[in-house]
Amino acid sequence: MATGAALWGMIGIFVTYLYEIGFTPTQVVAIRAMSAMFFLLMFVLIKNPQSLKINISDSKYFIGTGIFSIVLFNWCLFHAIQETSISIASILLYTAPAFVTIFSRVLFKELLTPRKILSLITTLIGCSYVIGILPNSNESITLYRVMLGLGSGVFYALYSIFGKFALVKYDTLTVTVYTFIFAAAAVTPFSGLWTVLPLFRSLEVWLYILGLGFLSTMLAFTLYTKGLNFIVSSRASIIATIESVVATIVGILLFNEKLSFWQYFGILLVILAVFIVQETTKEFTKKRVTQSKEHPLPESPSFIINF
């Protein structure tokens, strides 16, 4: 599971190098969606072809997970990497648990417990240090860049909301495959990939595509999901914070990114907020039993499966 989270943290490597070769953020989003779709389809056809059966009427769920979440989340994240840094973009992405808490309160009437409120406050303060708007922090990040970073967190969080409804009828693998099918179908026509076809003649490009679609998406997802069989979801969410740590290390070591002391402090606060919002196994079990008696839908997760 930790390996899967670390592979997510390496995504900035492949994205940054594809930028240097000449691809735009939208084109990289399309490349990730299409390559992930290809590898996932191959995996499903080998493992369980029956997982591909869905009702056409349920396409609305995958429009939500694929277009309104994955496409827009990746677009914001990849633009944020380009406009800020791998480190900052990754940590702003981790505002997602805070947005899940807010959405769950509005849509599913989940209680705002003291722990959730503390997590929200900690996230807000941590992000304020990361983007440089609190005293003693260095240069500030522009509003556009902040919106990109927070936008990735918002759309990332929406996967939990849309995924909650899809998982009532389908298993995780089916939801994931169709998420990327719909994502690829939506973003590719607007990507302009056909204008940069000569770039695909390079072996280097295909290696980065392999890294982006297979290592940081397909393999990362498989390892993380397999780990869920042995670790409760709340603990898994904590382990997933390895992603932001790896992303920060990658940014510093490979791309010479510079962060101030206060930005590091903000990163620690955001990661701490993820720990705070997690429920203990006892609390989780009690709450799930209560909700199962009152609601037909499964409990909305306090965090989300990463992509």
Side-chain angles (χ1 to χ4, degrees):
M1 178 174 287
T3 303
L7 288 173
W8 281 317
M10 294 172 60
I11 191 172
I13 299 175
F14 311 117
V15 171
T16 301
Y17 284 138
L18 286 172
Y19 287 163
E20 291 180 356
I21 290 173
F23 291 98
T24 67
T26 303
Q27 289 168 346
V28 176
V29 173
I31 288 172
R32 188 186 193 194
M34 287 192 298
S35 58
M37 177 190 71
F38 172 79
F39 290 121
L40 283 166
L41 278 174
M42 293 301 100
F43 179 75
V44 171
L45 289 172
I46 294 173
K47 184 178 180 181
N48 184 16
Q50 296 300 313
S51 296
L52 293 176
K53 291 184 177 181
I54 64 168
N55 293 323
I56 299 299
S57 60
D58 293 330
S59 297
K60 56 183 179 291
Y61 302 135
F62 307 115
I63 290 174
T65 58
I67 301 175
F68 290 102
S69 180
I70 295 300
V71 170
L72 295 178
F73 135 60
N74 277 278
W75 188 89
C76 287
L77 175 63
F78 293 171
H79 270 282
I81 289 175
Q82 184 182 53
E83 293 289 332
T84 59
S85 67
I86 295 174
S87 308
I88 293 176
S90 175
I91 206 62
L92 289 178
L93 173 63
Y94 261 74
T95 58
F99 289 117
V100 170
T101 299
I102 295 171
F103 292 152
S104 296
R105 172 58 184 166
V106 174
L107 297 175
F108 308 120
K109 309 303 179 184
E110 289 191 0
L111 294 178
L112 279 178
T113 63
R115 177 179 294 179
K116 290 180 179 179
I117 294 173
L118 177 59
S119 176
L120 287 171
I121 295 173
T122 304
T123 299
L124 178 62
I125 295 174
C127 286
S128 298
Y129 276 112
V130 169
I131 64 180
I133 64 175
L134 282 183
N136 298 319
S137 56
N138 290 344
E139 62 182 71
S140 297
I141 300 175
T142 64
L143 178 61
Y144 173 67
R145 293 171 179 174
V146 172
M147 294 303 293
L148 286 174
L150 295 181
S152 68
V154 170
F155 294 119
Y156 193 21
L158 284 178
Y159 189 87
S160 273
I161 308 305
F162 292 116
K164 172 179 180 177
F165 295 100
L167 289 169
V168 172
K169 301 184 68 173
Y170 303 103
D171 62 26
T172 302
L173 187 57
T174 301
V175 173
T176 305
V177 171
Y178 277 97
T179 290
F180 279 96
I181 289 175
F182 275 74
V187 71
T188 304
F190 302 97
S191 65
L193 279 176
W194 52 90
T195 65
V196 291
L197 288 179
L199 296 179
F200 289 97
R201 296 172 183 170
S202 169
L203 175 62
E204 183 182 17
V205 167
W206 288 104
L207 290 176
Y208 295 145
I209 291 175
L210 181 65
L212 184 62
F214 181 74
L215 293 180
S216 287
T217 304
M218 169 64 187
L219 184 58
F221 168 78
T222 302
L223 293 174
Y224 185 84
T225 304
K226 188 175 181 62
L228 290 174
N229 294 324
F230 307 100
I231 300 176
V232 295
S233 297
S234 59
R235 298 292 180 265
S237 298
I238 294 173
I239 293 175
T241 59
I242 292 174
E243 175 187 356
S244 60
V245 176
V246 171
T248 300
I249 293 173
V250 165
I252 293 171
L253 295 183
L254 293 184
F255 302 105
N256 297 315
E257 295 179 356
K258 305 295 182 182
L259 298 177
S260 69
F261 167 79
W262 293 107
Q263 285 177 313
Y264 282 117
F265 179 66
I267 288 174
L268 291 176
L269 287 179
V270 174
I271 294 176
L272 176 62
V274 177
F275 281 74
I276 293 173
V277 79
Q278 304 307 318
E279 298 174 348
T280 64
T281 304
K282 183 177 180 180
E283 291 173 329
F284 178 84
T285 303
K286 180 179 178 182
K287 182 177 178 183
R288 190 170 183 93
V289 169
T290 301
Q291 288 193 341
S292 65
K293 295 178 180 179
E294 300 176 351
H295 305 290
L297 290 174
E299 177 194 11
S300 60
S302 57
F303 194 51
I304 48 186
I305 292 178
N306 298 267
F307 287 102

